[in-house]
Amino acid sequence: MVKLVEKAKILRSKNAGPFEITLDVLFDDKRTYEEVKNAGVITKETIAEIYNLSIADIHHLVYFDQALGIKITFARKVSSGSPGDRDVYGAQQHAPLMNLEL
């Protein structure tokens, strides 16, 4: 099996406001993007499992064909900057997605 981190050109996360995190997965070429998209592995169910969330917490999972990318937005467990928040900018939240096996 190959991991997502081996296929994606860019895997990153960031705040989408104080209450959400956005994950971006971008690819170098259309063939690789289509291969990952058609594998059907990146779903709301998969993201919920990886991040220990309910499916209702996954607000968006969109495949952008023109950009060869996937955008996933989910609710933060703790709002940015509040007590208990360990990643104020949401910049380290892509790590669990890196090891997703395709």
Side-chain angles (χ1 to χ4, degrees), residues 3 15 19 25 31 41 44 59-60 73 76 79 81 84 90 99:
K3 294 182 180 184
N15 281 341
F19 306 109
V25 184
R31 182 190 60 74
V41 174
K44 285 187 174 186
H59 298 168
H60 302 284
T73 304
R76 291 179 66 115
S79 65
N99 292 318

Side-chain angles (χ1 to χ4, degrees), residues 6 8 17 21 30-32 34 43-44 47 56 58 65 69-70 75 94-96 99 102:
E6 298 171 50
I21 296 283
K30 186 172 182 167
R31 182 190 60 74
T32 304
E34 291 290 339
T43 64
K44 285 187 174 186
I47 300 303
I58 313 298
D65 294 343
I70 306 163
H94 62 284
N99 292 318
L102 303 172

Side-chain angles (χ1 to χ4, degrees), residues 15-70:
N15 281 341
F19 306 109
E20 295 179 315
I21 296 283
T22 290
L23 306 170
D24 294 321
V25 184
L26 303 169
F27 299 90
D28 262 348
D29 60 85
K30 186 172 182 167
R31 182 190 60 74
T32 304
Y33 167 73
E34 291 290 339
E35 180 183 309
V36 172
K37 178 181 173 181
N38 294 331
V41 174
I42 300 177
T43 64
K44 285 187 174 186
E45 292 78 12
T46 304
I47 300 303
E49 183 179 331
I50 291 171
Y51 286 91
N52 195 27
L53 300 166
S54 72
I55 292 174
D57 287 334
I58 313 298
H59 298 168
H60 302 284
L61 191 151
V62 181
Y63 287 86
F64 286 107
D65 294 343
Q66 302 88 337
L68 304 178
I70 306 163

